[in-house]
Amino acid sequence: MSQRSLAGPDGRRRYPRLVTVSQTSTPNTGADAAPHRYTAALAAELERRWQDRWELEGTFHTPNPSGPLGDPAAVAGRPKLYVMDMFPYPSGAGLHVGHPLGYIGTDVFARYQRMNGYNVLHPLGYDAFGLPAEQYAVQTGQHPRVTTEANIATMRRQLRALGLGHDSRRSVATTDPSFYRWTQWIFLQIFNSWYDPDAGGARPIVELEDAYASGRRATPDGTPWADLTEGQRRGLLDDHRLAYLSDAPVNWCPGLGTVLANEEVTADGRSERGNYPVFKRNLRQWVMRITAYADRLIADLDGLDWPEPIKLMQRNWIGRSVGARVDFPVRTAAGTQTAITVFTTRPDTLFGATYMVLAPEHPMVDDLLPGAWSEDLPASWTGGAPTPVAAVAAYRAAAMAKSEVERGAEGRVKTGVFTGAYATNPVNGALIPVFVADYVLMGYGTGAIMAVPAEDERDWEFAATFGLPHVRTVAPPADWTDGAYTGDGPSINSANNEISLNGLETAAAKAAIIDWLAAKGFGVPTVQYKLRDWLFSRQRYWGEPFPVVYDEYGVRGLPDSMLPVELPEVDDYSPRTFEPDDAESTPESPLARATEWATVTLDLGDGPREYRRETNTMPQWAGSCWYELRYLDPTNENAFVDPEVERYWMGPQAPGDCGGVDLYVGGVEHAVLHLLYARFWHKVLFDLGHVSSSEPFRRLFNQGYIQAYAYTDARGMYVPAEDVVEETDGSFSYEGAPVNREYGKMGKSLKNSVTPDQMCGEYGADTLRLYEMSMGPLDVSRPWDTRAVVGSFRFLQRFWRNVIDEETGLSRVSETPADAQTRAVVARTIDGVARDMANLRFNTAIAKLIECNNYLSRLLADGGALPRETAEAMILMVAPLAPHVGEELWSRIGHTATLTFVPFPQADPALLVADTVTCVLQVGGKVRDRVEVPADSTEESLRELALSAPKVVAALAGREVRTVVVRAPKLVNVVPA
RNA sequence: GCGGGAGUGGCGGAAUUGGCAGACGCGCCAGACUUAGGAUCUGGUGUCUUCGGACGUGGGGGUUCAAGUCCCCCCUCCCGCACCA
C-alpha cells in the first residue's frame, strides 16, 4: 500500500514491480499509478482530511429552532427533514459491511436533501442496554458500562470513517443516566395514567382519583371512596394504571434466567434469543396495558407511509376479531347454576353448536367434573379412566408433558376428553357435552368455545374423532361435497320460538342473533384481540431500574426529583440461570442481591420511611421506545424534549397528518416488536400532551440485507470464504478439496465476514459507499461480492481523471461553455438522478452518473474540454454518494467552502426536450427499423414514413395493411391483414 | 394450512401509463500499454443461426396492433403467522 512511483532519468515514470506477500488483486496500490491518480492511498488521505474538517467546522451540527442547540436564524425559512436510522446495539464483534447499508442510504438521502435546502436532522445513537454486554461482564467481571463504552467508541470510529454526516452532539446512548433518567420519567408518566375509554385516550391517574373521591365515578362495588382503606384505594387505582403489576402467567425462561414478552417467544415455545424452552408461570411482573391502544394502533396505520407488509404484520399481530361473548348455562358438580362464557366470531352458527370445549387450564374445569360417569361412554370420551376427575387429570398431565414442538409434530390431531358435564345451548335449549381439549387455548378469548363442526374445520375434525353430530346452519354452495363449510351463506336450521335466522345472509344473521342474545342477557357483542398486554419486567442487571418503591400497601412511583434511579454497583451481574427445562425454578434478579440498594429510606412527602426498591429492570425495548424524541433535544435537563423543538421536528405538517420522523430506515425484523412498542409509548405521550405528533414514524423504509456465501468442507466446518476457488465446472473448492456453498448471513463464525475497515483500506470509504448503493434497490437483499467492488472504484477513478490531470494534479476544468449536446446529456442526468435520489433509488442514480461520466470520458478523449458548468454539476451530483471525492474535487476546482449546502443542480427544462427522437417502426408488433425523426413529427407524417420505409415494405412482403397504429413520435406499428 | 412478496443473461440488477427487453456494474473474450499484468485504457459480450433471420423475462393459456408489465391456471423460492374459535 505504500509503494511510490519512481521517476526515471528521462523524467518518464518507471514503475517498479514491487510484489509483496500481502499484495492481492487490488488495482489500487498506487505502485503503477500516475502521481495524481485516484488511488486507495489518496482516498485514505483525503477522506481523513475531510472528516476532520467536517468535525472541526461542525458541518453536520443541525440547528434547533430554540434551546441549547437553537439557532433561530439558521432555521428560518428552511423546510425541515428528520431522517433517522434504527440505532445499533454496540456489539463487541465490530461491524461487517452489511451493517452500514441503511446508514449509508440515509446519509446519501440526508446529504441530497441538505443540498435541496432542507434543515436535515440526521442523528445516530446507541441502543446499549442488553444481554451481550451483561453476559460479557458475567464472564470477565468487567462492568458492562466499561465494555459498552469501549464498543461504542469502536463503532463511532468505524462509522466516522464511512463519512456519515451525523450530528455528533445528538449521539445519545440509552445507557447514559442523562438518557435513562427520561426513560424512567416516561415510565412514571405511563404508570401515573389510566386509559379513559370515554376520552379514547390516556389521562392522569389523579383525574380518576378525583372522580372517585368526588363521587362522580362510583367504585366497582359502590363503596364510597371515603370508606375505602388506603390499601383498597391504591389497589383500585393500580387496577387502572397503564403500567401495572400482574400475577398473570408469564413466559419464564429458566435457561436465560428471565421472563420474556410474548413477542420474544417463538411459535414453538422457545426463547427467540438462545432458543431455550419457555414455560408459563404465574409471577408478579410489570405489564404495560398496550391492549387499551389496540384499536388505535390498528386504525392509525392507515395514515402511515409504511410498507404494506409491515402494516399487515402489525394488524395480524394485534389480531382484532369482532364477535360476541355467549353464556352457555351449566350446573357444576356441586349443583351450582353457572355458565360457560365463550367467544365466537360466528354467533350466526349458534344453532349448530353441538358440543363445547374448555382449554385444559380453564379454571372452571375442576368445578364441572362429576364424581362418576353418568352413562356408558366410548373409551375415546373417557380416555379409559374410571372417573371424569381421573380422565381430566391424565389428559392434562399428557398435555403438559408435550412440548409445543411435539404438538406441532403430531400434525394437529385432535385430542381431548369428556368432562362428564353438559351445558345448555341458549338458543335451542339443547344439552351439549363439554370436553377438555388442547386445541382450545387458554390465552385467547375466554379459553372456552362452542363447537360448530359444520362450520369450523377444527371442530369438524374433533367431532369426527369423537363421534359427535353436526348440524349445518349455513347453506354451503351447491357443489359442496363434505366437511366444514367456513364461508358465508344464507342461514338454515336456525330458528327457535322467538327468532329465526333462516334465509339471512351471514352478516345480517350475526347482527340479528347478537341483538337477540343481548336482549335475553345471553351474550354481548365483543371485540377480541390476539395482542396481550406487554410484559415489561426482566430479571437482568444491565437495564433501566424501575423508578418505583414498595411499601406495605404496594407500589409507589418516585417523584421526578429522585430521577434517575441509577444502577448500583454489584459483585455479580448474572441473573440466576437454571437448567433450561427446570420449569419449577423461580426468577432471581441480580439487583435483589444488592441488598444495601434494594432497601432505601426516602421521604415521599409523608416523612422519611423505609421502602423496598423494584429489583427487576426494564426490557431492552424501553430506550428504543422514545429515542427519536431525545435526539431532538439531547441536552435538555428540564424535559425529555422541549415542546417547541418537538413541534418543529415532528409536528403534523398539515391537518390530519400524524406527524413524526420523516424517514425511518431499518430492518424488517422490528416489524412488530420495536415498532409496536414505540408507537404505543408515543401515543401515551401524545394523549398526555407531551408531544404534538400522534405517531413516532410517519414514513418507514425497510432496507434489505447484505447476504453472503459461506462454504463448508466435508466435515461441515466453515472454511474462509475469501480463499475458496470457483472451478471451471461451477463447483467450489478450498485448498483443492471440494466444499459446499450456502447462502445467508455474513458473520465471523461463518468465516465469510468482510469488514468496512478492509474495504476502506483497499479502496476507500467513497468506493464502499458507492458500491453498497449501486448493488441494487435499498429495500432488496443481495449477495456481497468483493470482486465487484472494483467497478465502483473504477468509476471514481475515471471521474477523478476527467476533473484532475493525473500528471500534474491540476484541474482540467475549462471556462469555455459546454456545447449543446453536452448540456443536454448533463440535463438529462440531473433530471434522472434527482428523481432517483428523492425516491431512494440510488442504484439507478449511480448508473446514470456512470453513463454521463462515460460520455464525458469520450468527449475528453476526443480532445474536448470539461466545461466548468458540467464539472460542477457532476461533482455536486456525485457528492451525496461519495462525499469525500465530491468535497475534494469541489475545492480543487476553486471553491473554498464545503459543498454540503450548495444547491443540488437543476435541470433546465428546455434542455430536456430533444429536437429529434428515435422512432421505432414495427410490423405486426415486431421491430423492423429505427429512424431519427423530429420530435414534433405528426402522426400522418410518421405513417407515411413507415409505409414507405424499405424494411417495412420488405417485412410486409406484399401483404395488405390492415391498420397502422401511430404513437407519435416514438412508435409506428404497421399491422398486416 | 393461511397471509404477503418475488421469479429477467454466467452474476448483481435496469426497463413512466402496456410501446425498442437486458441500462449500469461484475465476470468473460479480444486488443493497447508492458520484461510482465492480477494495474490502467479501448472494444465486444442474451441464446440459436443456413447470417436472411428465428427465439427469448419460471411453465401453460388468454386479452391486445403491441405483454417482463394486464387477466386465468400451475410450478418454485423467500418472508410473516400458525389450532386465535
Side-chain angles (χ1 to χ4, degrees):
Chain A
M1 300 291 170
S2 59
Q3 298 97 350
R4 291 287 133 92
S5 61
L6 303 175
D10 57 356
R12 305 279 301 174
R13 292 185 314 283
R14 292 286 181 272
Y15 301 134
R17 272 170 293 134
L18 299 176
V19 180
T20 69
V21 287
S22 66
Q23 198 160 12
T24 62
S25 62
T26 52
N28 46 342
T29 60
D32 262 359
H36 297 279
R37 174 166 294 176
Y38 181 74
T39 61
L42 178 58
E45 185 275 319
L46 69 88
E47 284 173 7
R48 199 173 49 244
R49 184 152 44 77
W50 281 102
Q51 284 157 17
D52 289 346
R53 182 163 162 193
W54 291 330
E55 183 172 305
L56 190 71
E57 296 184 355
T59 306
F60 303 109
H61 289 187
T62 305
N64 274 351
S66 62
L69 305 186
D71 185 349
V75 165
R78 298 164 73 194
K80 66 89 189 180
L81 193 75
Y82 188 2
V83 180
M84 203 180 127
D85 300 278
M86 291 187 188
F87 62 174
Y89 177 80
S91 147
L95 298 179
H96 60 65
V97 289
H99 290 117
L101 179 70
Y103 306 154
I104 295 170
T106 51
D107 189 56
V108 175
F109 185 69
R111 285 174 180 273
Y112 168 69
Q113 297 294 23
R114 272 188 206 102
M115 296 173 82
N116 283 320
Y118 284 93
N119 185 27
V120 176
L121 178 57
H122 186 218
L124 187 77
Y126 295 90
D127 187 18
F129 276 126
L131 215 45
E134 182 176 292
Q135 286 173 338
Y136 187 75
V138 169
Q139 287 159 21
T140 62
Q142 203 169 37
H143 195 286
R145 180 167 301 286
V146 176
T147 39
T148 299
E149 284 174 1
N151 291 347
I152 289 176
T154 303
M155 214 150 170
R156 284 211 172 103
R157 179 188 59 73
Q158 287 184 302
L159 294 174
R160 182 185 191 272
L162 295 175
L164 301 174
H166 296 133
D167 185 342
S168 54
R169 302 169 306 170
R170 303 174 188 253
S171 183
V172 297
T174 54
T175 47
D176 298 337
S178 62
F179 183 96
Y180 72 69
R181 167 192 176 177
W182 296 107
T183 311
Q184 292 171 336
W185 182 87
I186 295 170
F187 174 86
L188 287 171
Q189 292 293 311
I190 299 170
F191 171 74
N192 286 318
S193 302
W194 65 294
Y195 197 88
D196 180 354
D198 298 330
R203 288 170 56 189
I205 197 88
V206 293
E207 293 183 12
L208 182 66
E209 188 175 1
D210 285 349
Y212 280 132
S214 69
R216 273 183 287 120
R217 186 184 176 98
T219 59
D221 63 357
T223 312
W225 182 255
D227 295 348
L228 294 178
T229 65
E230 170 72 5
Q232 286 171 325
R233 288 179 185 181
R234 287 192 24 201
L236 187 52
L237 294 180
D238 288 350
D239 286 345
H240 287 83
R241 295 179 187 274
L242 287 178
Y244 62 98
L245 285 160
S246 161
D247 291 307
V250 297
N251 305 299
W252 162 237
C253 180
L256 289 173
T258 189
V259 297
L260 297 168
N262 291 325
E263 289 80 1
E264 292 170 309
V265 180
T266 63
D268 15 300
R270 301 180 81 89
S271 60
E272 198 171 57
R273 181 185 283 276
N275 199 32
Y276 294 110
V278 171
F279 300 90
K280 286 285 180 194
R281 288 287 308 278
N282 284 320
L283 296 168
R284 191 164 181 79
Q285 300 284 315
W286 280 101
V287 179
M288 293 255 171
R289 207 179 298 277
I290 190 171
T291 51
Y293 281 81
D295 274 333
R296 281 168 63 188
L297 288 169
I298 289 177
D300 292 355
L301 285 171
D302 292 340
L304 295 177
D305 182 6
W306 285 20
E308 277 307 319
I310 302 294
K311 292 189 185 182
L312 194 64
M313 282 164 73
Q314 292 219 343
R315 284 193 196 99
N316 289 343
W317 187 264
I318 296 166
R320 187 177 197 269
S321 298
V322 179
R325 288 192 181 214
V326 182
D327 290 337
F328 283 63
V330 67
R331 203 175 285 279
T332 65
T336 313
Q337 186 63 46
T338 178
I340 299 170
T341 305
V342 303
F343 172 73
T344 177
T345 55
R346 293 296 301 270
D348 60 302
T349 65
L350 252 169
F351 287 88
T354 53
Y355 67 102
M356 300 187 79
V357 182
L358 302 183
E361 308 91 330
H362 196 288
M364 274 179 73
V365 171
D366 292 318
D367 296 338
L368 294 178
L369 305 176
W373 303 115
S374 58
E375 56 201 295
D376 274 343
L377 293 167
S380 64
W381 284 39
T382 63
T387 63
V389 173
V392 168
Y395 183 73
R396 275 188 184 147
M400 288 286 279
K402 279 187 288 185
S403 72
E404 299 280 345
V405 183
E406 287 167 337
R407 288 191 197 181
E410 286 166 5
R412 290 182 192 154
V413 172
K414 297 290 177 288
T415 62
V417 69
F418 181 43
T419 61
Y422 290 84
T424 307
N425 187 337
V427 294
N428 58 12
L431 278 179
I432 56 177
V434 180
F435 285 75
V436 168
D438 65 2
Y439 83 91
V440 172
L441 311 174
M442 193 57 225
Y444 182 75
T446 62
I449 63 158
M450 65 174 202
V452 186
E455 277 97 32
D456 184 284
E457 282 168 6
R458 296 153 300 185
D459 297 344
W460 178 278
E461 286 171 31
F462 188 89
T465 306
F466 289 82
L468 291 155
H470 71 266
V471 177
R472 294 217 181 264
T473 56
V474 179
D479 57 350
W480 194 258
T481 50
D482 196 24
Y485 172 66
T486 58
D488 290 353
S491 288
I492 52 173
N493 300 326
S494 297
N496 59 28
N497 293 337
E498 299 179 20
I499 182 168
S500 172
L501 306 178
N502 292 337
L504 292 178
E505 285 296 325
T506 302
K510 282 183 186 178
I513 193 69
I514 286 176
D515 285 349
W516 185 82
L517 289 167
K520 301 288 286 185
F522 290 138
V524 285
T526 308
V527 177
Q528 189 68 47
Y529 304 93
K530 280 202 286 181
L531 181 72
R532 282 359 119 62
D533 276 343
W534 173 21
L535 181 88
F536 199 68
S537 298
R538 297 295 182 278
Q539 288 72 45
R540 307 236 76 97
Y541 175 76
W542 195 226
E544 298 88 346
F546 282 85
V548 299
V549 292
Y550 296 90
D551 63 13
E552 68 271 30
Y553 296 117
V555 67
R556 292 185 68 170
L558 293 174
D560 297 351
S561 60
M562 293 186 183
L563 303 183
V565 178
E566 294 204 49
L567 281 167
E569 297 298 322
V570 296
D571 297 327
D572 180 4
Y573 308 108
S574 50
R576 181 148 172 230
T577 58
F578 303 85
E579 286 301 311
D581 40 9
D582 180 1
E584 300 307 311
S585 51
T586 302
E588 203 174 283
S589 169
L591 292 183
R593 293 192 293 264
T595 45
E596 301 221 341
W597 177 85
T599 303
V600 63
T601 301
L602 299 170
D603 184 349
L604 298 182
D606 41 6
R609 293 171 59 189
E610 192 168 270
Y611 297 94
R612 280 182 303 112
R613 288 195 191 274
E614 168 65 64
T615 57
N616 289 319
T617 53
M618 299 187 200
Q620 196 182 346
W621 308 110
S624 60
C625 275
W626 75 282
Y627 71 122
E628 75 282 358
L629 292 163
R630 192 59 180 174
Y631 283 146
L632 304 178
D633 203 3
T635 57
N636 193 328
E637 293 185 6
N638 304 314
F640 71 109
V641 60
D642 180 89
E644 185 187 342
V645 172
E646 188 275 336
R647 206 177 315 118
Y648 173 75
W649 286 112
M650 293 181 67
Q653 300 295 293
D657 175 31
C658 58
V661 173
D662 296 295
L663 177 64
Y664 190 38
V665 175
V668 70
E669 74 271 21
H670 293 114
V672 285
L673 291 157
H674 157 59
L675 288 169
L676 200 59
Y677 298 151
R679 292 181 64 214
F680 163 54
W681 275 40
H682 202 91
K683 286 186 180 302
V684 177
L685 291 171
F686 174 74
D687 288 350
L688 297 176
H690 296 305
V691 294
S692 66
S693 42
S694 59
E695 284 281 339
F697 312 114
R698 176 196 282 111
R699 181 179 179 200
L700 175 72
F701 187 92
N702 288 120
Q703 101 250 353
Y705 294 95
I706 290 185
Q707 312 263 67
Y709 294 103
Y711 302 87
T712 52
D713 64 17
R715 297 168 301 162
M717 306 292 285
Y718 287 100
V719 302
E722 57 185 330
D723 297 329
V724 169
V725 182
E726 181 168 5
E727 304 292 339
T728 45
D729 64 356
S731 69
F732 297 91
S733 70
Y734 171 69
E735 293 182 338
V739 290
N740 279 321
R741 186 166 84 155
E742 48 190 64
Y743 180 61
K745 284 183 180 171
M746 191 175 270
K748 263 188 185 162
S749 60
L750 305 174
K751 296 198 177 167
N752 62 356
S753 225
V754 179
T755 68
D757 297 17
Q758 281 172 274
M759 289 299 105
C760 287
E762 286 186 37
Y763 298 101
D766 280 333
T767 296
L768 175 62
R769 292 171 61 110
L770 205 55
Y771 174 64
E772 295 212 359
M773 293 301 99
S774 67
M775 290 166 80
L778 196 57
D779 54 352
V780 175
S781 295
R782 58 257 121 126
W784 177 263
D785 181 7
T786 298
R787 280 190 315 186
V789 179
V790 71
S792 298
F793 181 74
R794 285 181 193 143
F795 163 64
L796 286 179
Q797 207 166 48
R798 284 195 275 252
F799 179 52
W800 178 277
R801 182 159 46 233
N802 284 343
V803 183
I804 299 295
D805 187 309
E806 289 192 334
E807 305 297 328
T808 64
L810 299 175
S811 163
R812 298 178 72 182
V813 166
S814 153
E815 302 302 329
T816 53
D819 61 50
Q821 191 194 356
T822 301
R823 285 183 149 181
V825 168
V826 173
R828 276 203 301 277
T829 305
I830 293 169
D831 184 57
V833 168
R835 213 177 25 241
D836 288 345
M837 289 233 183
N839 295 320
L840 305 173
R841 302 279 301 193
F842 305 122
N843 55 327
T844 48
I846 291 167
K848 290 174 178 114
L849 288 169
I850 293 175
E851 238 177 322
C852 186
N853 191 56
N854 289 345
Y855 165 84
L856 295 176
S857 297
R858 286 191 298 275
L859 184 75
L860 292 172
D862 294 343
L866 181 68
R868 171 163 292 273
E869 58 184 288
T870 308
E872 295 201 337
M874 281 298 285
I875 291 168
L876 293 173
M877 284 192 283
V878 167
L881 294 151
H884 312 88
V885 164
E887 292 273 25
E888 182 69 12
L889 293 178
W890 188 247
S891 104
R892 288 205 189 197
I893 66 167
H895 298 280
T896 51
T898 175
L899 53 60
T900 303
F901 305 102
V902 174
F904 200 80
Q906 299 284 315
D908 179 353
L911 292 173
L912 295 175
V913 184
D915 294 337
T916 65
V917 296
T918 306
C919 182
V920 177
L921 306 184
Q922 298 181 336
V923 176
K926 290 190 159 77
V927 180
R928 295 300 171 185
D929 203 2
R930 297 181 177 87
V931 288
E932 280 295 307
V933 299
D936 56 358
S937 300
T938 62
E939 275 196 24
E940 194 46 45
S941 68
L942 289 172
R943 182 192 317 266
E944 298 293 319
L945 182 75
L947 289 172
S948 58
K951 290 192 179 173
V952 171
V953 173
L956 279 172
R959 286 174 293 176
E960 291 276 301
V961 173
R962 176 146 65 98
T963 180
V964 180
V965 179
V966 184
R967 291 285 175 272
K970 291 185 128 176
L971 180 135
V972 182
N973 188 10
V974 180
V975 186

